[in-house]
Amino acid sequence: IADLSVGGRARLSNDLSSTDGGSTWTVTLTAPNADDLARDPNRTYNSVGNRISVNLAGVSNSAGIAGAGQAVSTVTYDIDVIAPRCTIRLLDSALTAGETTKALFSF
C-alpha cells in the first residue's frame, strides 16, 4: 500500500491482495466522504482525471529485482461528491383560495 498513490483525496484500503500468485493485485478505492471534506482546508470536493500510480522501486519480481520509476494507470477516474442542491422560489407567496403562481427551481 505504501507504494501506491491515488488522486482526488481518495483512499486505498489495506486489503491489497493477489489470487494468482502475485501477477494481478486488487485493492479497494474509496472516494472521500463528508468527514474527509470537512477537514479539507482547500475544499477540494470534486476532481477529474485521477490516476493510480505504483512506485516500482518498492516492488520486486520473483528474483528479487526492484523496479524503477512509476507505473501510472492509463484509465482515470472522476470523483463527484457534492450532493445536488435546489432553491425553490415562488413568484407569489401569499396565495388565496383558487389562485396560482409560478414556482422557479434553480439547481
Side-chain angles (χ1 to χ4, degrees):
I1 295 294
D3 293 308
L4 299 175
S5 54
V6 296
R9 298 201 181 278
R11 295 181 319 277
L12 294 176
S13 64
N14 287 321
D15 64 351
L16 181 66
S17 63
S18 175
T19 58
D20 63 3
S23 293
T24 306
W25 293 82
T26 61
V27 68
T28 303
L29 174 73
T30 304
N33 61 31
D35 291 338
D36 297 326
L37 300 177
R39 291 187 297 265
D40 181 0
N42 298 319
R43 302 293 189 245
T44 309
Y45 299 117
N46 296 333
S47 59
V48 297
N50 296 296
R51 297 180 186 275
I52 300 173
S53 62
V54 179
N55 173 11
L56 295 175
V59 179
S60 57
N61 64 15
S62 59
I65 300 171
Q70 283 193 346
V72 180
S73 63
T74 56
V75 176
T76 63
Y77 61 92
D78 300 339
I79 295 176
D80 178 1
V81 294
I82 297 177
R85 294 181 181 165
C86 180
T87 302
I88 303 168
R89 189 172 68 114
L90 301 175
L91 295 182
D92 182 355
S93 61
L95 298 176
T96 58
E99 286 188 318
T100 61
T101 189
K102 291 200 183 251
L104 305 173
F105 298 85
S106 300
F107 294 93

